Amino acid sequence: MRYAETGFNLEIDLSRGSIERVATDPGLTELHLGGLGTNAKILWDRVPPEIEPFSPDNILIFSTGLLCGTPAIGANRTIVSTISPQTLFMAYSMMGGFWAPELKYAGYDKVIFRGKSPNLVYLWINNDNVEIRDASHLQGKGAVETEDLIRQELKEPKAQVAAIGLAGENRVYMASIEHGRSSASRLGIGAVMGDKGLKAIAVRGTKDVNIARPAEFMELCNEVLKYIPVRDQNPVPGVMPILAGLGSPKEMAIHDEEWHTENFMWGNSRVRRKGFWNEEIEKKWTESMENVRTRLISCYNCPMKCGAIISVPGVSTYMMKCFSKLTYTMAAFSDLDFGFRIAQRATEYGVDAFSTPQVMAFALELYEAGILTDQDMPGMPSDNEGRFYWLLDRIVRREGIGDVLADGTHWAAQQIGNGAEEYAHNNIKKHEQLPLKLSMLNPIYFLMYCTGEKANITQIEGNFPQAPFATREEREEFVKDWIQVPDEKFKEYVLNWEPRGENSMPYYPTIEATCEIVDWQEMMHYIDDAVGMCAGLSSFPLKPPYHIHNYPAFISSATGIDMDEAELSQIAKRNRTLLRAFNVRRGLRRADERPPEDHWKKRFPELEAQLLDAYYKFKGWNKEGIPTKESLQELDLDYVSEDLIQRGILTDDEATPSKEISAEKERK
Ligand code: SF4
């Protein structure tokens, strides 16, 4: 019997219209757990580097995590993996909600799509009955509207639906996959879904998921349930509100936006508005939010209520989560009312709320600079908010200048030329980042920004404080109940970290400590992404209920696989290294690993080079960031080293790359 997982994947060939139920190899679960780990293995095996994102041979995987569908609180992530049209590397976006547990209950761990359907279709999974259905009547429909229409036509109100909107259908690089209160948004995975002619996947499942040692497992779940309210009632003092408690930034619950509005940048990540937040704005924004926020909502099996139902008069009700509350508002230098209104349309279109507002602000900056002209923007309204709607409508339809902008700021700037590249200033690996510009280089964030495989900082940062506490007393107070640390030395790093002086950034934490901190944070994310845990209860907050000390028991009692901390760390390292190797095979090199030029005002080229050198070494990678033959073999990834050697990326006897391939290759 298989525990925690179902032991079956669905393989769908959209070109042939075939559906197969395929038993999976339990050995792979022991090596990679599931979720992102096994997704990476499947992508490695089936998608050689020659395959382009919009090739029928690119695959699109919707995966549950290993613990999804079990009673583990917050284990509800769907991990969607494919090749990103924007970065040309692996994309792995995740969404919360209810979809992954429902897929488990239907009897499957993953749905793997290949090929392309000649007509728009959707997949209907109803336990053992799986069918590809015509979706031509859903063409052009909004993502949320599609979810409702599918539930109605199936007469199955409990079906969980993930759908794309117009942006995905038109292969817009910022296209998301929407699922009620959540979305898998980053890196253009909605565009790949649209390219495959797949409008939606609806799932209904009523089967059980087996647990190896249920009594032990339930005991652990109850401990998490007991811990959550304790932490909620005792927020960590001295840190910003979204880090003080638990959850996946509980933006929908808070009104105090001083930190975001004064520290994040407005426009196309351009202008910092110090002193913006005052009593009048707070009152107005609180009213705006109270007027539209109908109620707070949670994902499957989680008490945290990070999302909200939003009802703006005159537009359909939708659900919002996280920082999208502010991204449109701040990109347009507008107010919260505007943000809530345009976010409804953007959600129906199905676009990423981090990249899209920046792309629109980028277009307006180019227009103000005379790089784009009235000829490029025929009929664009004169008012600021009208311009944002106008641009959004054109981007998702790929109309006129919208067709260029739909590829994101990096590729659009290359097409526009005439100095436009200077305005695409907030990218890592061609992908728009959080609109954040800071002063002093933070060595921890430098490494995370440079080397994170996801090219998305929010999925890398985590359990270590983002900045030093002001006083020794605060530091001592913080480390007192910091049980999540894998080693006591991390407490020392916090205790000695000062805002100014010898032990301050950029030279403290030391290079060695920085490598260890980044490695720890990364390990936690890779565990979460393999088991399907929400980062808001594990790798993101400072003092979460899940950590390296209790995770092995969770996984072991759920699956029956023997596991201790060292073994779990090794699996996380294996998954992380496999992802790196996959991207290396697609051309990723050290030259690609850099933050936006102006992310920090104060830069230290020598220190930055040392940090990269040290981190690569720490991870078992060579100076180009390529995993060495020895480190691959230690992780049972011999087949990876053989492939890299065969392709001339590694040499047989030593670790240096023998062939340079730049990821800065031009789009064909
Ligand atoms: S912490 Fe928030 S985002 Fe995470 S599962 Fe719970 S409700 Fe969803």
Side-chain angles (χ1 to χ4, degrees), residues 441 446 590 603-613:
L441 179 91
F446 172 79
R590 185 184 181 117
R603 298 290 297 268
F604 299 81
E606 206 178 316
L607 173 64
E608 292 173 17
Q610 288 169 352
L611 280 163
L612 265 188
D613 283 342

Side-chain angles (χ1 to χ4, degrees), residues 76-77 247-248 298-299 302 304-306 534:
N76 52 46
R77 258 42 196 173
S248 180
S298 269
C299 303
C302 182
M304 293 308 301
K305 295 187 179 168
C306 299
C534 172

Side-chain angles (χ1 to χ4, degrees), residues 410-423:
H410 170 86
W411 296 112
Q414 292 216 336
Q415 259 187 272
I416 295 165
N418 199 18
E421 290 91 342
E422 291 296 308
Y423 293 78

Side-chain angles (χ1 to χ4, degrees), residues 362-659:
F362 158 81
L364 292 176
E365 270 190 10
L366 293 183
Y367 180 68
E368 277 158 28
I371 296 172
L372 290 178
T373 65
D374 287 330
Q375 276 183 325
D376 299 306
M377 317 289 229
M380 184 170 74
S382 56
D383 69 298
N384 189 40
E385 294 182 359
R387 287 177 167 181
F388 270 77
Y389 278 109
W390 187 89
L391 283 164
L392 180 62
D393 291 348
R394 267 141 202 86
I395 288 170
V396 301
R397 291 182 173 80
R398 282 191 173 273
E399 276 174 18
I401 192 65
D403 190 29
V404 177
L405 297 170
D407 291 356
T409 56
H410 170 86
W411 296 112
Q414 292 216 336
Q415 259 187 272
I416 295 165
N418 199 18
E421 290 91 342
E422 291 296 308
Y423 293 78
H425 63 108
N426 199 36
N427 298 328
I428 299 175
K429 295 166 188 155
K430 310 180 184 73
H431 181 50
E432 294 81 14
Q433 298 302 308
L434 281 188
L436 194 56
K437 305 286 175 188
L438 300 163
S439 178
M440 174 57 75
L441 179 91
N442 177 329
I444 304 168
Y445 273 73
F446 172 79
L447 279 186
M448 292 192 297
Y449 268 114
C450 288
T451 63
E453 230 60 51
K454 192 167 187 187
N456 181 5
I457 195 66
T458 52
Q459 293 297 331
I460 309 166
E461 62 194 345
N463 296 162
F464 198 84
Q466 295 190 358
F469 290 94
T471 65
R472 177 90 193 175
E473 290 70 40
E474 281 178 273
R475 283 171 236 148
E476 282 172 358
E477 187 60 30
F478 176 77
V479 301
K480 253 193 218 159
D481 63 347
W482 201 21
I483 55 160
Q484 291 80 1
V485 286
D487 190 293
E488 291 295 300
K489 67 186 166 194
F490 291 99
K491 292 184 180 173
E492 286 303 310
Y493 300 156
V494 166
L495 287 169
N496 295 331
W497 196 14
E498 313 218 346
R500 274 167 294 282
E502 214 175 288
N503 277 2
S504 68
M505 294 187 287
Y507 294 105
Y508 198 92
T510 62
I511 291 175
E512 192 189 351
T514 299
C515 292
E516 290 165 349
I517 292 163
V518 174
D519 184 64
W520 165 30
Q521 304 203 107
E522 205 168 55
M523 172 181 75
M524 293 314 300
H525 279 285
Y526 275 82
I527 296 170
D528 288 349
D529 299 348
V531 302
M533 181 57 64
C534 172
L537 294 178
S538 178
S539 48
F540 182 72
L542 293 165
K543 295 181 177 175
Y546 294 97
H547 43 79
I548 191 63
H549 307 303
N550 65 3
Y551 246 145
F554 264 100
I555 295 168
S556 181
S557 57
T559 62
I561 299 170
D562 284 341
M563 175 97 39
D564 60 19
E565 289 179 27
E567 283 158 341
L568 183 56
S569 308
Q570 184 79 344
I571 292 173
K573 194 172 173 191
R574 181 178 300 122
N575 290 348
R576 196 268 171 272
T577 306
L578 183 56
L579 241 97
R580 161 74 29 162
F582 183 83
N583 284 340
V584 159
R585 198 168 66 161
R586 294 189 68 84
L588 175 71
R589 292 294 182 275
R590 185 184 181 117
D592 302 301
E593 308 236 273
R594 51 178 195 259
E597 290 302 325
D598 60 348
H599 183 77
W600 290 284
K601 217 182 267 171
K602 295 178 191 158
R603 298 290 297 268
F604 299 81
E606 206 178 316
L607 173 64
E608 292 173 17
Q610 288 169 352
L611 280 163
L612 265 188
D613 283 342
Y615 194 60
Y616 285 173
K617 200 168 166 196
F618 184 95
K619 300 294 258 190
W621 305 343
N622 68 21
K623 281 199 173 267
E624 278 297 313
I626 301 170
T628 64
K629 185 179 166 188
E630 296 71 31
S631 62
L632 289 165
Q633 285 173 344
E634 267 171 38
L635 293 165
D636 304 305
L637 296 173
D638 303 57
Y639 61 95
V640 173
S641 71
E642 281 159 26
D643 185 283
L644 295 182
I645 289 166
Q646 208 176 15
R647 290 175 186 276
I649 295 169
L650 277 178
T651 55
D652 199 9
D653 53 350
E654 55 98 39
T656 49
S658 63
K659 191 161 82 181

Side-chain angles (χ1 to χ4, degrees), residues 116-129:
K116 290 188 192 194
S117 169
N119 319 96
L120 197 64
V121 294
Y122 74 91
L123 188 72
W124 169 219
I125 304 166
N126 186 10
N127 290 322
D128 295 340
N129 299 318

